Amino acid sequence: MTHYVGFDIGGTSVKYGLVNEAGEILEKGSFVTTPDDGELMIANMAKQVKTYQEKQDILSVGVSVPGIVRKDGYMVTAGAITAFFDINLKEVCEAAFQLPVVVQNDANCAAIAEQWIGNAQGVSDYIVIALGTAVGCGIIINDAVYQGAHGAAGEIGWTMQQPLDYSQDLEAGSWNFTSGVVLGLYNRYQQATGKEVTDARVILDLVRKGDAQASKVMDRYYEDVAKGLLNLVCAFDPEVILLGGGISTNDEFLGHLSERIDKIKQHHKSLNHLTGVTVADIKPCLLRNDAGLIGAVYQAKQIIA
């Protein structure tokens, strides 16, 4: 059986894994992201590739990364990874790994993985939303990733959600800063309480205990995420919207989010009259936190085939 290495570069950690041709992760691990030190991240990635090469014959490497990625692997933007702005990450990685490399946007990778072996099998038109540091989006239309005219399609996190205040950067009111788990949920909780939090389960636990400030922050978060998802339903009419990111693995979060989506639809005349667009069409990714890594490997398989 052939083997590949996958990387999923996030705002806080870089996940890596040894993956076979069936999409099974045989080994995996992670190391801390250094957003302003790209050389260190590439060196750490190369170390993992070498480690796996000592165990298996590696054919190629797939890299999932936030931001706008052109087809040739050039990074226009890279989310919170400032060191990867305006570089050809494919070329850099190939030089470091001495292997063929494919680089793709993280949400697109997650979307591809879900159609390969996840909850989008047999689905031709769907959207994957990754609730992470910010909000990622992968759009699949007619079984193909929709990248737009300049590779920038899916930057749904940039959409403006709040009233426009021209005295500041308008991106501060974007979906990234209302519905990203770090930029939105954690940041709002810290603003409200002065306390830093790095795990959504902490806030959810406080809500269960009746904490007023946590409840207010979480209620706002449910509303912002729900509005954004329903906006996508209006724009693309997907068969399914799949949610990724760590918070999507929490059944309590998904239950309350579904309730909020249903509430908004009931109070929106046109949405409430649509048929076939139900809460059940918005569900978690099957592959969850492994989706980006697996999707990157799927594309690494294609450049060898």
Side-chain angles (χ1 to χ4, degrees):
M1 183 170 281
T2 52
H3 295 84
Y4 308 85
V5 176
F7 290 99
D8 185 8
I9 301 174
T12 57
S13 68
V14 178
K15 290 175 283 188
Y16 55 84
L18 176 66
V19 184
N20 66 22
E21 62 187 14
E24 298 171 324
I25 300 177
L26 306 178
E27 297 181 28
K28 65 179 178 179
S30 66
F31 59 84
V32 176
T33 301
T34 51
D36 58 350
D37 192 342
E39 290 185 4
L40 178 58
M41 276 194 289
I42 296 297
N44 285 332
M45 292 165 71
K47 179 181 178 181
Q48 294 305 323
V49 171
K50 184 177 181 180
T51 297
Y52 288 142
Q53 283 180 312
E54 293 173 353
K55 302 176 181 180
Q56 300 288 348
D57 181 25
I58 305 300
L59 297 186
S60 58
V61 178
V63 179
S64 164
V65 64
I68 298 173
V69 187
R70 292 179 183 164
K71 292 181 180 180
D72 64 356
Y74 186 86
M75 303 293 305
V76 179
T77 66
I81 318 300
T82 54
F84 286 167
F85 275 59
D86 296 317
I87 68 169
N88 191 306
L89 188 59
K90 171 183 168 67
E91 293 179 354
V92 172
C93 287
E94 287 184 336
F97 307 158
Q98 293 298 296
L99 285 169
V101 175
V102 63
V103 178
Q104 176 63 276
N105 168 269
D106 53 1
N108 288 343
C109 285
I112 290 165
E114 288 295 324
Q115 191 178 54
W116 183 19
I117 56 174
N119 275 340
Q121 293 180 73
V123 180
S124 296
D125 299 276
Y126 62 98
I127 296 173
V128 170
I129 293 294
L131 299 174
T133 300
V135 180
C137 176
I139 304 167
I140 305 295
I141 300 175
N142 294 329
D143 293 312
V145 174
Y146 179 69
Q147 293 186 279
H150 308 96
E155 291 295 340
I156 196 70
W158 292 349
T159 59
M160 292 166 282
Q161 305 289 313
Q162 304 297 320
L164 301 184
D165 180 357
Y166 292 100
S167 67
Q168 64 174 357
D169 179 2
L170 296 181
E171 193 172 357
S174 71
W175 206 29
N176 279 333
F177 286 84
T178 64
S179 298
V181 176
V182 177
L183 296 180
L185 180 59
Y186 295 172
N187 186 46
R188 281 181 173 170
Y189 180 77
Q190 184 171 358
Q191 289 177 343
T193 66
K195 301 174 182 177
E196 185 176 355
V197 65
T198 58
D199 190 332
R201 290 173 295 185
V202 173
I203 301 176
L204 290 169
D205 185 55
L206 288 169
V207 173
R208 283 193 298 272
K209 293 177 179 177
D211 185 279
Q213 289 178 311
S215 297
K216 184 176 181 180
V217 169
M218 202 67 218
D219 185 72
R220 175 91 176 271
Y221 186 69
Y222 285 129
E223 188 119 308
D224 287 332
V225 175
K227 285 189 299 183
L229 295 178
L230 286 170
N231 285 342
L232 290 173
V233 169
C234 297
F236 292 98
D237 185 27
E239 184 175 344
V240 176
I241 292 182
L242 300 177
L243 297 182
I247 199 169
S248 72
T249 66
N250 188 292
D251 291 336
E252 181 181 3
F253 167 76
L254 292 172
H256 287 302
L257 178 62
S258 293
E259 291 173 0
R260 186 57 56 91
I261 289 169
D262 193 47
K263 179 179 180 179
I264 294 173
K265 285 177 59 181
Q266 289 176 3
H267 289 78
H268 189 295
K269 183 177 179 180
S270 294
L271 279 175
N272 199 38
H273 280 83
L274 286 178
T275 58
V277 183
T278 65
V279 171
D281 292 327
I282 299 176
K283 54 188 181 182
C285 293
L286 176 65
L287 304 174
R288 308 236 169 160
N289 287 334
D290 292 328
L293 191 153
I294 292 172
V297 165
Y298 179 83
Q299 292 169 102
K301 277 166 46 76
Q302 308 313 303
I303 61 173
I304 298 299

